[in-house]
Amino acid sequence: MTKNKIDGEYRLTYKKNGKYHFAKGGYYTNGRSLNYSMNIVIKSDTVFIKF
């Protein structure tokens, strides 16, 4: 994040059973998080992102 000085959203890409999956959530501004921490839980058909 230190080299990223723009605003945007978090994107998570992961591979499961040979397929790539994508989830997004949360926001950062000026390369800094608006949240203190994230907890990411990947279930069989759902991704939970808690800030």
Side-chain angles (χ1 to χ4, degrees):
M1 297 291 286
T2 58
K3 294 180 182 180
N4 191 0
K5 301 294 183 192
I6 61 173
D7 294 357
E9 64 188 0
Y10 294 105
R11 295 180 182 185
L12 171 67
T13 304
Y14 62 98
K15 188 175 181 179
K16 181 178 176 185
N17 297 328
K19 289 185 175 182
Y20 285 95
H21 301 272
F22 173 78
K24 61 183 178 177
Y27 191 76
Y28 60 87
T29 183
N30 294 325
R32 303 201 77 169
S33 175
L34 298 176
N35 305 94
Y36 179 71
S37 65
M38 287 192 294
N39 184 18
I40 300 170
V41 177
I42 301 172
K43 299 285 186 171
S44 61
D45 63 348
T46 307
V47 176
F48 296 99
I49 303 174
K50 184 178 179 183
F51 298 92

